[in-house]
Amino acid sequence: MPMFTRRQFSASLAATALLPVLANAQSGEQKTLNIRFYDDPAGFDPANIFRIENENIAFNIYSGLTSYDSQTGEIIPDLAASWETEDNITWVFRLREGVLFQKGYGEMTADDVIFSFERIMDPATASPYASQLAGIIRLEAPDPYTVVIELDAPNGNFLHTVANYHQGQILSRQAVADLDGQVRWNPVGTGPYYLEHIDVNSEIVLKRHEDYFRGPAPIETLHFRIIKDESTATIALRNGEVDLVMRSNREENLQTLKAAGFRMNSVENYAVALKVMNLDFEPFADRRVRQAIAHAIDYDAICNAISPSLTQATDSILPSWMPIFSDNIPKYPYDPDRARALLAEAGYGSGLSFRHLGTSAQGVTEIQQFEIDFLSQVGITMTMDLVDTPTFNQRRNAGEFEMATRLLPAVNPDMILFNYLHPDNKVPGGLNGARYDNPEVTELLVAARAEVDPALAFELYERVQQIVMDELPYLPSYANNVFWPGKTSVTGVQPNYLAQVNFFEVDMLTS
């Protein structure tokens, strides 16, 4: 098998991985898969889509120039059959020919790609993902099947930016014009399924896109039933009312389904939960206080006590499967004596208190109850500041908190490192809720993104991780595992590292 460099990649061989799936896909089959959907749908416009459950729908409706391998998380071709770059600044994408949009909107061309990106970048769209495309200074289509993108600076992770996720999802220019701003509930893409029907109170129905460029999917109809309660969803699966549960996240339910013999489709360590410490809050401005908090909480004990299947303690802000992850970083084992000593050095030997932002709907979680107890043993009082969910989102995005929690699923390391660490992304304009600003880290991030040599880029990213884990503006607490329990007759369910399932790869065995 020929090898492709990072500067040039052809899709021809990557497509062979799809052949077993295509062999099972017969357009005449009329299979229906019933799936539990766990919350109110919020729409499927790539410009403002939010929450993992909605992103799962969009992932199967749209395509990007690239996508992600469900097993490894590696970049794979999608609408782009190949791409080239010599400098990580100018990227040339060769599009597949004959790719058809759903609902009769004709062939996808370079014009649709450019339109989709410009729509995100347009201030009138007010997309929260506009910053992801802010580096683009030129978009050109020399012909209907070629897209040239020029950046203002080298970006070795740009293939993630144009992947099938948020800003990378490609729409039909004509469909958007016809829908007159109603993309949210009327999405039109090139993916394996299209939206046939939605009742925001009860169900979402996707139908197979018979003209999907990889061939029709094995299952004709995906019927998502909205079941919010976890226990009810578990009963529905056991009773045969659904075939697959999107995200089961209660330990007792998982153990019940596992004992009953259901297939426990899962992905481990898909995202890290971080404690965001507002560095403008006086106690947190001292690195020793932040380090004391890290030593004071035993996340191994918490995860093992509450949810050993769903969570695992972690030491890094990056998931361990990312190619740039380094284990050569400062770590903070559970050590209450060390925590007390650090507090004393920082002038807080008699203790301190802070408020942790949370939602009234969720209340004080079991994990937070443990955190409160561990912190109290070293003289730190953590009080929960519980507000309704819209207020929580507004305050967290505005940085109006002393401590908050963030979980950012990402395959692109820049989604974590630049969003959390770069001063340009400080709240309220970005996700840098800690308001972290270290010029050395900023320079290293820019240099690493620009570096063409993977080995040198790794060294730069490793240094970033070492500095940040020493200064600790964000405290890694635990990594999440995702489970989609289902019947053993449902095959090919593999949540990827964005907790999404590619339903083109899913089939149902019939007797």
Side-chain angles (χ1 to χ4, degrees):
M1 177 179 291
M3 298 296 291
F4 297 99
T5 70
R6 61 180 288 145
R7 300 188 181 189
Q8 184 171 20
F9 184 83
S10 168
S12 58
L13 290 175
T16 60
L18 299 167
L19 294 179
V21 176
L22 294 176
N24 292 330
Q26 299 178 13
S27 180
E29 291 188 277
Q30 297 183 346
K31 302 175 184 177
T32 296
L33 182 67
N34 293 295
I35 309 148
R36 179 266 182 127
F37 191 87
Y38 58 82
D39 208 343
D40 297 321
F44 315 110
D45 184 345
N48 53 36
I49 193 169
F50 181 60
R51 294 182 61 90
I52 293 169
E53 67 275 16
N54 301 300
E55 291 160 359
N56 260 281
I57 300 293
F59 183 67
N60 286 278
I61 291 175
Y62 299 110
S63 308
L65 293 180
T66 63
S67 191
Y68 295 110
D69 182 272
S70 298
Q71 296 281 347
T72 66
E74 293 179 358
I75 286 283
I76 58 174
D78 204 6
L79 294 176
S82 64
W83 51 79
E84 309 95 55
T85 183
E86 292 298 326
D87 52 11
N88 288 343
I89 295 178
T90 301
W91 295 78
V92 180
F93 295 90
R94 312 292 181 185
L95 304 182
R96 300 178 191 271
E97 299 185 23
V99 174
L100 297 179
F101 281 108
Q102 302 146 359
K103 302 183 179 181
Y105 273 97
E107 186 180 17
M108 183 277 306
T109 67
D111 178 67
D112 297 294
V113 175
I114 290 177
F115 164 77
S116 298
F117 294 157
E118 288 181 338
R119 178 173 180 265
I120 297 289
M121 296 163 65
D122 185 351
T125 305
S127 171
Y129 309 117
S131 62
Q132 301 301 316
L133 300 177
I136 294 177
I137 59 175
R138 180 169 64 99
L139 281 164
E140 288 185 1
D143 61 66
Y145 306 108
T146 303
V147 176
V148 178
I149 303 177
E150 183 180 349
L151 308 179
D152 60 3
N155 183 355
N157 290 316
F158 187 66
L159 293 177
H160 291 284
T161 304
V162 296
N164 182 10
Y165 188 60
H166 295 167
Q167 74 285 337
Q169 294 170 332
I170 303 304
L171 300 86
S172 160
R173 179 192 288 271
Q174 187 60 52
V176 173
D178 291 349
L179 292 167
D180 190 26
Q182 298 302 310
V183 176
R184 180 184 179 191
W185 300 115
N186 297 278
V188 175
T190 58
Y193 287 91
Y194 67 91
L195 179 65
E196 181 191 59
H197 165 75
I198 184 168
D199 182 327
V200 294
N201 297 309
S202 61
E203 65 180 1
I204 306 165
V205 179
L206 302 187
K207 284 288 188 178
R208 179 169 58 200
H209 177 29
E210 300 290 351
D211 294 320
Y212 181 50
F213 62 86
R214 289 191 172 109
I219 297 173
E220 182 194 39
T221 304
L222 303 178
H223 182 194
F224 294 87
R225 295 185 53 199
I226 299 174
I227 306 174
K228 298 180 182 180
D229 182 72
E230 286 288 324
S231 297
T232 303
T234 299
I235 293 170
L237 180 58
R238 298 191 71 182
N239 289 347
E241 298 166 31
V242 297
D243 308 301
L244 182 67
V245 170
M246 176 191 285
R247 197 206 70 171
S248 183
N249 66 351
R250 294 273 182 85
E251 187 71 28
E252 60 271 23
N253 295 331
L254 288 173
Q255 296 307 322
T256 295
L257 293 173
K258 184 176 181 180
F262 288 95
R263 192 189 301 269
M264 306 303 289
N265 310 291
S266 67
V267 60
E268 292 188 354
N269 193 20
Y270 92 100
V272 175
L274 302 177
K275 294 293 185 186
V276 185
M277 291 178 273
N278 182 352
L279 303 189
D280 285 349
F281 175 58
E282 183 176 347
F284 293 166
D286 193 310
R287 174 176 55 182
R288 292 167 295 187
V289 171
R290 305 193 296 269
Q291 292 175 339
I293 291 174
H295 280 301
I297 303 174
D298 188 346
Y299 280 108
D300 275 318
I302 293 175
C303 292
N304 289 332
I306 298 175
S307 52
S309 299
L310 289 162
T311 58
Q312 52 195 311
T314 187
D315 297 311
S316 173
I317 63 173
L318 294 180
S320 59
W321 47 264
M322 281 190 171
I324 67 166
F325 168 84
S326 174
D327 194 46
N328 183 25
I329 55 175
K331 298 179 182 178
Y332 301 88
Y334 175 57
D335 189 342
D337 290 335
R338 179 60 180 152
R340 295 186 192 96
L342 285 165
L343 289 173
E345 290 175 19
Y348 294 97
S350 58
L352 64 90
S353 63
F354 68 87
R355 297 176 66 81
H356 188 304
L357 184 65
T359 65
S360 53
Q362 195 174 34
V364 182
T365 67
E366 287 186 274
I367 288 178
Q368 288 163 350
Q369 291 172 17
F370 271 94
E371 290 170 343
I372 289 170
D373 182 59
F374 275 116
L375 290 170
S376 70
Q377 295 176 37
V378 300
I380 298 175
T381 300
M382 182 175 102
T383 303
M384 295 303 300
D385 182 8
L386 300 179
V387 297
D388 61 75
T389 301
T391 302
F392 170 82
N393 289 331
Q394 181 274 322
R395 285 184 53 186
R396 187 174 66 168
N397 291 340
E400 297 171 358
F401 57 80
E402 294 171 359
M403 178 182 281
T405 301
R406 273 281 185 190
L407 179 75
L408 181 63
V411 182
N412 180 1
D414 278 354
M415 284 287 290
I416 297 174
L417 298 179
F418 269 79
N419 280 335
Y420 284 156
L421 305 175
H422 199 287
D424 288 352
N425 292 321
K426 288 182 183 179
V427 289
L431 295 178
N432 185 353
R435 298 169 171 84
Y436 182 68
D437 186 355
N438 181 322
E440 182 184 0
V441 168
T442 303
E443 290 180 8
L444 286 166
L445 286 173
V446 173
R449 177 187 272 184
E451 180 55 59
V452 175
D453 185 330
L456 293 178
F458 176 83
E459 291 179 6
L460 295 169
Y461 280 124
E462 181 180 56
R463 182 59 186 147
V464 167
Q465 294 168 73
Q466 291 169 343
I467 295 172
V468 170
M469 289 309 301
D470 176 60
E471 298 193 332
L472 212 64
Y474 302 94
L475 170 61
S477 49
Y478 56 88
N480 274 17
N481 306 329
V482 173
F483 287 84
W484 285 51
K487 296 178 179 178
T488 55
S489 58
V490 180
T491 63
V493 178
Q494 178 56 64
N496 64 21
Y497 284 119
L498 292 170
Q500 300 165 326
V501 168
N502 181 356
F503 281 98
F504 179 71
E505 299 172 352
V506 177
D507 200 356
M508 300 174 67
L509 303 177
T510 57
S511 55

